Amino acid sequence: MPYTAPIDDIRFALEGCADFWSLRQRFPELDEDTLAAILEGAGALASETLAPLNRSGDQAGVTLKDGVVTAAPGFQEAYNAFKDGGWQGLAADPAYGGQGLPRSLALAVMETFHSANMSFALLPMLTLGAIEAIEQHGAPDQKTLYLEKLISGEWSGTMNLTEPQAGSDLGVLTTKAVPQADGSYAISGQKIFITWGEHDLVPNIVHLVLARIEGAPAGSKGISLFIVPKFRDADGSRNAVRCIGVEEKMGIHASPTCTLAYEGATGWLIGAENRGLAAMFTMMNAARINVGMEGVGVAEAAYQKALTYAKDRKQGGALIIEHPDVRRMLMTMKAKIQAGRAICYATAVAADAGDKAREDLLTPIAKAWGTDLGVECSSLGVQVHGGMGFVEEGGAAQFYRDARIAPIYEGTNGIQALDLYGRKLLGDRGDAMQALIAEGRVIAGASHPKLNAALDALADATDYMLSASREDAQAGAYAYLQLAGDVVGGMLLVKGGVRDANAEQAALLRFYARAILARAPSGLSEVKLGAAVLNSSDF
């Protein structure tokens, strides 16, 4: 399916909305020419190499035989091009072969890969998380053993959390780790839903596995994190981990989602005993921002497909792009995509700047709002196509099928809403959110009444969430997150418009203000719904 990286839109969101150049002092070697070259190079790889494999990969899927997963045709060549281009290590530590560039720039690059081929992009996305976890929590010898090969793309990485009985509640996982005389551990148990957990694109896969050491406390306090390579480091022999199944999924057919059996596999503790969740959350938070970007990326691909179809398809004697309802759908897609893009980039810029409070606040918003956006826009893409959107031949259905997993990934969006309320709002009694609202008021000034009204609604909702009972606040948490995403997205679009009086972006902002921000005050009713209303039905 044809895809062209929207470089101008990416740069507007990155530079104008997300304040990318505030990072100049931290990254003095980075300039406009380097930024342009990196984005153009990523866009070329995405459009010329990855996008042509999106449809064929969906149709071919992957195969599992004798514990070996074979990737879809063409994926090996595409991965080689990705690896040889040095794309895996853009933001990684230069001491281990990385380029040391901002995470926000690496995120913008990943957006183009997600748009072009979500199944493919999941592979480097999980490796990014493994790199960050080992960089932050690994011992020196572990960094020496693994980082260079992961950063170069020679090896890939995975995140092993879920078990048949342990989904979001990781405290009940049963995978066990038995200490060995040489300081290693024998890891035994089963992990499910492991993205790219087995494949033939690289010679070794580095699994990061949550398990419980014998005698450890019950619940989440007794969980540790282990590095378990597919092939052992010392002698290169095959480790006792094997793929015993690949899920048949609604979408992302070219991404193997594996069930892995650990049968006394040799693993090494990363970080401290019983502190595995803290280390794993390094991967989790990196993945949450990337999954939010994934939603935006698939939304962009769906938008481009729908726009092309609308400009070509005639109905009633006119191209359907001339129909007001089709234009409404396309404008909704494009405006919300730009807002979602800006939210994700702003989250990553905060991480680059070391603004932990802002990063923590925006992460659940970026993940949930961005992935809901992917589903909404891919659904609108099907609608623009009409009947042709509902059949596979039209090509629009794949985006919807692929996008639908993202609101479930890395903690469902309901969990993101509870995180925004329970950890972020209650954690600092609303200080970070109030600071964000205050910044929004400065951006809005007197020229943007709809943004000011939306900020008033968010401030009111924030006061309610802080003062309500836990049950009532949790009942309104998802609506609160959605309201926050709508308002923050609008705030960032206004910020970008102030810096760059671009006619096209100004048109998107006008639409966003009237169609999205204008709804913010009415969103208060759902935020304040209350637990009693939800509990009033016996179903």
Side-chain angles (χ1 to χ4, degrees):
M1 298 174 185
Y3 162 76
T4 301
I7 303 299
D8 289 343
D9 288 345
I10 288 174
R11 292 198 61 169
F12 179 86
L14 189 63
E15 298 173 274
C17 303
D19 205 15
F20 178 73
W21 293 115
S22 66
L23 302 172
R24 281 187 188 275
Q25 287 190 328
R26 287 176 175 256
F27 301 92
E29 72 287 355
L30 189 62
D31 56 25
E32 284 82 353
D33 289 342
T34 304
L35 173 66
I38 290 171
L39 292 177
E40 292 289 347
L45 177 64
S47 62
E48 297 169 12
T49 302
L50 302 183
L53 298 173
N54 197 40
R55 177 67 171 157
S56 62
D58 179 66
Q59 293 174 317
V62 300
T63 60
L64 170 63
K65 184 178 181 181
D66 299 328
V68 176
V69 172
T70 301
F75 270 52
Q76 183 68 71
E77 293 77 11
Y79 186 80
N80 290 344
F82 166 85
K83 174 174 64 71
D84 294 345
W87 297 107
Q88 186 71 75
L90 279 182
D93 189 345
Y96 300 97
Q99 299 178 46
L101 293 169
R103 285 177 57 186
S104 46
L105 177 53
L107 188 68
V109 165
M110 281 300 299
E111 179 197 328
T112 68
F113 299 158
H114 287 309
S115 288
N117 195 320
M118 179 177 165
S119 286
F120 178 93
L122 284 164
L123 173 56
M125 190 188 84
L126 269 296
T127 301
L128 284 173
I131 290 169
E132 289 201 24
I134 296 173
E135 280 183 340
Q136 293 189 36
H137 302 283
D141 63 325
Q142 292 171 336
K143 294 180 181 182
T144 299
L145 278 170
Y146 297 109
L147 282 180
E148 184 175 341
K149 287 184 169 61
L150 288 170
I151 288 169
S152 69
E154 181 180 345
W155 293 355
S156 67
T158 72
M159 179 165 54
N160 283 230
L161 289 75
T162 308
E163 299 179 4
Q165 80 295 337
S168 300
D169 183 7
L170 294 173
V172 298
L173 66 80
T174 59
T175 298
K176 67 179 181 179
V178 179
Q180 304 296 294
D182 63 357
S184 67
Y185 292 77
I187 310 297
S188 299
Q190 187 178 110
K191 297 292 184 178
I192 63 172
F193 300 155
I194 309 305
T195 301
W196 285 96
E198 162 60 25
H199 61 92
D200 61 343
L201 301 185
V202 297
N204 203 3
I205 303 170
V206 180
H207 302 294
L208 267 64
V209 183
L210 287 181
R212 195 182 305 279
I213 298 173
E214 286 187 325
S220 60
K221 293 181 179 180
I223 296 172
S224 299
L225 182 64
F226 298 88
I227 298 176
V228 187
K230 178 178 174 180
F231 289 93
R232 296 184 184 88
D233 309 309
D235 56 9
S237 61
R238 186 72 161 85
N239 211 343
V241 51
R242 59 192 179 96
C243 179
I244 59 174
V246 173
E247 298 296 339
E248 295 185 13
K249 306 185 297 295
M250 175 179 176
I252 53 169
H253 294 153
S255 171
T257 303
C258 301
T259 298
L260 298 181
Y262 291 86
E263 300 164 325
T266 303
W268 289 266
L269 182 69
I270 178 170
E273 285 189 14
N274 306 327
R275 294 287 297 162
L277 280 188
M280 182 60 78
F281 265 104
T282 298
M283 292 185 75
M284 182 76 78
N285 284 330
R288 284 174 173 171
I289 299 173
N290 270 288
V291 170
M293 193 83 263
E294 184 176 74
V296 176
V298 178
E300 173 67 33
Y303 165 74
Q304 290 191 20
K305 182 86 169 62
L307 178 63
T308 300
Y309 185 81
K311 287 181 174 180
D312 182 65
R313 171 70 169 172
K314 284 188 176 182
Q315 186 168 303
L319 294 172
I320 65 170
I321 198 171
E322 298 176 23
H323 295 193
D325 192 53
V326 172
R327 297 188 74 85
R328 174 193 64 81
M329 289 188 284
L330 291 171
M331 283 290 283
T332 299
M333 295 169 80
K334 189 167 180 60
K336 293 191 76 171
I337 287 166
Q338 192 66 321
R341 182 178 281 132
I343 292 170
C344 291
Y345 292 170
T347 309
V349 167
D352 285 325
D355 188 346
K356 185 65 174 169
R358 178 64 58 87
E359 178 194 359
D360 286 349
L361 179 71
L362 290 181
T363 293
I365 299 172
K367 192 277 175 180
W369 205 84
T371 56
D372 282 346
L373 169 68
V375 175
E376 178 187 3
C377 288
S378 57
S379 179
L380 285 172
V382 170
Q383 191 73 12
V384 169
H385 281 75
M388 188 55 71
F390 196 66
V391 298
E392 291 294 341
E393 180 185 352
Q398 183 187 343
F399 295 122
Y400 183 82
R401 290 188 288 100
D402 287 353
R404 191 58 192 85
I405 183 59
I408 299 170
Y409 271 155
E410 313 309 340
T412 66
N413 286 356
I415 289 174
Q416 303 305 313
L418 294 178
D419 175 64
L420 177 62
Y421 161 65
R423 286 196 175 94
K424 310 306 163 56
L425 277 186
L426 294 186
D428 66 1
R429 299 305 302 171
D431 287 350
M433 181 61 83
Q434 297 294 358
L436 186 64
I437 292 170
E439 181 181 322
R441 296 195 189 284
V442 173
I443 292 169
S447 302
H448 296 279
K450 286 187 170 58
L451 177 56
N452 275 313
L455 288 163
D456 289 342
L458 182 58
D460 189 345
T462 300
D463 290 341
Y464 169 80
M465 294 293 287
L466 289 169
S467 61
S469 69
R470 182 174 292 271
E471 292 77 13
D472 284 342
Q474 288 180 344
Y478 184 79
Y480 178 76
L481 185 148
Q482 289 299 311
L483 173 63
D486 289 349
V487 177
V488 173
M491 179 187 103
L492 293 173
L493 291 182
V494 171
K495 182 178 182 179
V498 169
R499 297 189 174 193
D500 181 359
N502 179 306
E504 180 182 357
Q505 300 296 335
L508 290 180
L509 176 57
R510 283 194 299 272
F511 177 87
Y512 191 93
R514 296 180 184 183
I516 310 300
L517 285 180
R519 298 199 302 246
S522 65
L524 275 173
S525 177
E526 189 177 2
V527 174
K528 299 179 179 181
L529 185 69
V533 175
L534 296 183
N535 295 331
S536 62
S537 172
D538 292 331
F539 297 102

